[in-house]
């Protein structure tokens, strides 16, 4: 009796508290398990929907890309290939292009100007899926020769029917094709001045 010690008169209350605490923790564990199961189901659904949307989107982009590539290069063939044997959401993407008179090859083996036109065809092919009212292109014509600049501008003018483009460029041919030019000049040394110029002729009302 001495080793047992004094009787704990609060034991019943302590047991009740411990049982309530155990019940609370069991409820929390169940909630966490249910939430985990719901999240896992949601992740699987998202992955399934993402795969379907990705396949659908990539097929549309491939069509647009091939069409714009032929337009920019005046022929040839281009394609988008996905890495095989892996999850499509983790697959690598290979851009294949064949300008007129050349063999089908990876974009890495093209010249600087050919790479720029191919990249432009791909970007605008993606842009066609969800066009925006405004688009900024920064020095995309820099690696292009004059002939390819004209092809680039023809493409932009087609898109300009629905989208307003802001071209950041130093190319005189591109500047001449714009409706409005905004720039910076330095009439006095060390003093910058903003200038603008409209290149579109205004319609003159007919005399009645």
């Amino acid at each position: 009796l001495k080793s047992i010690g004094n009787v704990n008169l609060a034991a019943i209350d302590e047991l009740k508290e411990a049982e309530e605490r155990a019940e609370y923790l069991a409820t929390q564990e169940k909630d966490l398990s249910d939430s985990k199961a719901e999240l896992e189901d949601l992740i699987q659904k998202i992955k399934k929907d993402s795969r379907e949307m990705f396949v659908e989107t990539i097929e549309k982009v491939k069509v647009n890309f091939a069409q714009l590539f032929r337009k920019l290069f005046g022929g040839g063939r281009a394609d988008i290939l996905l890495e095989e044997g892996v999850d499509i959401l983790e697959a690598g993407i290979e851009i294949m292009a064949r300008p007129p008179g050349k063999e089908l090859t990876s974009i890495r083996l093209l010249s600087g100007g050919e790479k720029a036109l191919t990249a432009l065809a791909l970007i605008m092919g993606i842009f066609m899926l969800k066009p925006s009212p405004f688009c900024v292109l920064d020095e995309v014509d820099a690696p292009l020769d004059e002939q390819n600049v004209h092809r680039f501008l023809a493409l932009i003018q087609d898109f300009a029917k629905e989208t307003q483009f802001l071209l950041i460029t130093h190319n005189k041919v591109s500047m001449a094709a714009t409706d409005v030019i905004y720039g910076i000049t330095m009439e006095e040394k060390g003093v910058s001045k903003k200038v603008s110029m409209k290149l579109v002729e205004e319609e003159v009302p007919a005399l009645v």
Side-chain angles (χ1 to χ4, degrees):
L1 292 176
K2 184 177 180 180
S3 64
I4 292 175
N6 297 328
V7 176
N8 183 5
L9 300 177
I12 294 177
D13 293 334
E14 291 177 358
L15 175 62
K16 185 177 180 182
E17 291 178 3
E19 289 175 342
E20 291 175 352
R21 177 66 176 168
E23 184 179 353
Y24 170 77
L25 292 175
T27 302
Q28 293 294 312
E29 181 186 21
K30 183 178 183 303
D31 290 343
L32 289 173
S33 297
D34 292 343
S35 298
K36 178 183 177 183
E38 291 177 2
L39 285 173
E40 289 176 344
D41 291 342
L42 180 59
I43 290 171
Q44 293 304 316
K45 183 179 183 303
I46 290 175
K47 284 186 175 182
K48 178 178 178 295
D49 293 344
S50 296
R51 289 186 182 94
E52 293 175 354
M53 291 176 63
F54 181 76
V55 170
E56 180 182 352
T57 301
I58 204 73
E59 290 301 321
K60 292 179 180 178
V61 170
K62 287 172 71 171
V63 173
N64 295 341
F65 174 47
Q67 175 186 348
L68 294 179
F69 183 89
R70 288 192 297 271
K71 183 171 184 177
L72 284 171
F73 282 88
R77 186 163 65 91
D79 198 4
I80 300 174
L81 304 178
L82 296 178
E83 183 182 1
E84 297 181 355
V86 297
D87 185 346
I88 194 170
L89 297 179
E90 300 176 0
I93 296 177
E94 184 77 12
I95 306 298
M96 305 300 292
R98 185 181 68 80
K102 292 190 176 183
E103 295 294 330
L104 187 66
T105 183
S106 170
I107 188 175
R108 293 190 296 270
L109 302 179
L110 300 178
S111 68
E114 290 171 338
K115 285 181 181 178
L117 282 183
T118 302
L120 182 65
L122 179 59
I123 291 171
M124 300 310 292
I126 297 172
F127 185 80
M128 288 174 66
L129 296 182
K130 286 191 176 181
S132 69
F134 192 78
C135 180
V136 179
L137 297 176
D138 186 1
E139 298 287 0
V140 296
D141 55 358
L144 303 179
D145 58 25
E146 185 171 339
Q147 181 181 5
N148 286 329
V149 169
H150 285 294
R151 290 176 175 173
F152 157 70
L153 293 173
L155 179 67
I156 296 303
Q157 286 168 355
D158 286 344
F159 280 89
K161 298 172 184 177
E162 303 292 336
T163 300
Q164 184 177 10
F165 284 87
L166 174 61
L167 301 180
I168 301 172
T169 180
H170 290 88
N171 189 289
K172 294 179 181 179
V173 177
S174 296
M175 292 182 194
T178 60
D179 297 333
V180 182
I181 294 177
Y182 298 96
I184 302 293
T185 186
M186 191 178 292
E187 293 181 352
E188 301 178 31
K189 187 176 180 180
V191 180
S192 297
K193 179 182 178 182
K194 291 183 291 185
V195 294
S196 63
M197 181 185 300
K198 285 187 177 181
L199 302 180
V200 179
E201 294 183 3
E202 295 185 1
E203 294 184 3
V204 179
L207 297 177
V208 179

